[in-house]
Amino acid sequence: MSEVRIIEIKESVFADNDRQADALRRELKSDKVFLMNLMSSPGSGKTTVLGRTIDGLKDRLRIGVMEADIDSDVDARTIAETGVKAIQLHTGGMCHLDAEMTRQGLEALDVRGLDLAILENVGNLVCPAEFDTGASANVMILSVPEGHDKPLKYPLMFRVCDAVLINKIDVLPYFDFDMERVEEYIHMRNPDAKIFPVSAKTGEGMAAWTDWLEARVRDWNEM
């Protein structure tokens, strides 16, 4: 009986993507462009948080946004109304962006002259966390209605993120959501993760988040 050749496709794909991501990160560093990869599940308020973030920083930083989705251009139109450069990326049915797809988006966005490029990744707590996009920082949003147990159910997403925004804190009185416990769970997965309780609806907590992001951008661009 002949031998069957086994190829570890997943490992090969991830290794190749990691090399491309590292190369892209070096190029962005050379060009003094900070790339933020923003991830969350659908319905977390990601586009609203992004709009608030842009409003808080657009007078201090030059910003461009790539909106990734399986289809539609609704989010890109919403973000374009803030006055920043925005494009829509269609993933062709894929539930994530990888480094090469991100590079194509950055070329289409034309990041020359930008301080901050933001990738609003596809709404998903699994696939986007598995692929390094070449970002300078990974950020995720967890909304109060989703529950405080998500770091236990989706550990990789929390491990790869530099910051976690707990959105919709204005509805805390109406949900069984334990803020102390979620912070404990997040730091169990990632001791270095910064946590920002925010409400994109009311603006509460947004200043602390935008101050942190601006400091990261300026440190990246000045190093």
Side-chain angles (χ1 to χ4, degrees):
M1 186 174 181
S2 61
E3 291 186 3
V4 175
R5 186 182 180 192
I6 299 174
I7 302 173
E8 298 292 343
I9 295 177
K10 185 175 181 180
E11 181 178 351
S12 175
V13 167
F14 285 160
D16 185 56
N17 181 75
D18 288 347
R19 285 191 292 271
Q20 293 184 51
D22 286 339
L24 178 57
R25 210 166 1 252
R26 289 193 296 270
E27 292 170 26
L28 290 169
K29 179 68 175 175
S30 177
D31 293 337
K32 298 187 180 298
V33 178
F34 186 98
L35 173 61
M36 182 182 78
N37 178 27
L38 183 62
M39 300 175 284
S40 77
S41 61
S44 67
K46 186 165 44 160
T47 303
T48 306
V49 167
L50 183 52
R52 281 273 190 180
T53 301
I54 291 168
D55 286 342
L57 292 174
K58 66 183 180 182
D59 292 335
R60 311 200 296 267
L61 297 174
R62 297 164 295 179
I63 302 171
V65 177
M66 299 176 290
E67 288 284 349
D69 208 342
I70 294 173
D71 202 353
S72 89
D73 62 355
V74 174
D75 291 342
R77 289 180 181 275
T78 300
I79 293 303
E81 292 175 359
T82 67
V84 302
K85 186 189 299 186
I87 62 170
Q88 187 78 49
L89 307 179
H90 286 169
T91 65
M94 297 183 70
C95 61
H96 68 276
L97 267 75
D98 59 21
E100 177 56 31
M101 296 161 73
T102 301
R103 179 186 292 279
Q104 292 177 36
L106 290 167
E107 290 173 355
L109 182 65
D110 188 3
V111 297
R112 291 173 298 181
L114 294 183
D115 302 305
L116 170 62
I118 301 173
L119 168 62
E120 183 176 340
N121 216 315
V122 181
N124 190 318
L125 290 183
V126 181
C127 301
E130 295 182 331
F131 287 84
D132 189 345
T133 61
S136 317
N138 291 313
V139 177
M140 73 163 293
I141 300 170
L142 172 67
S143 66
V144 167
E146 293 176 78
H148 57 254
D149 61 347
K150 287 299 179 289
L152 302 180
K153 295 182 177 181
Y154 301 97
L156 181 60
M157 175 61 74
F158 291 87
R159 286 192 194 116
V160 302
C161 284
D162 301 282
V164 179
L165 279 65
I166 311 295
N167 190 30
K168 304 187 181 181
I169 58 172
D170 51 294
V171 300
L172 272 171
Y174 309 105
F175 288 88
D176 183 18
F177 186 95
D178 191 320
M179 187 65 73
E180 289 186 7
R181 188 170 294 179
V182 77
E183 291 184 4
E184 175 188 342
Y185 292 160
I186 291 169
H187 284 145
M188 181 174 69
R189 299 302 187 194
N190 183 349
D192 297 323
K194 296 289 293 183
I195 301 173
F196 298 95
V198 302
S199 170
K201 181 178 180 180
T202 68
E204 182 180 357
M206 290 298 297
W209 151 242
T210 54
D211 286 349
W212 178 87
L213 178 57
E214 181 180 9
R216 288 291 301 267
V217 173
R218 295 200 182 283
D219 286 347
W220 174 268
N221 292 344
E222 291 173 2
M223 287 174 60

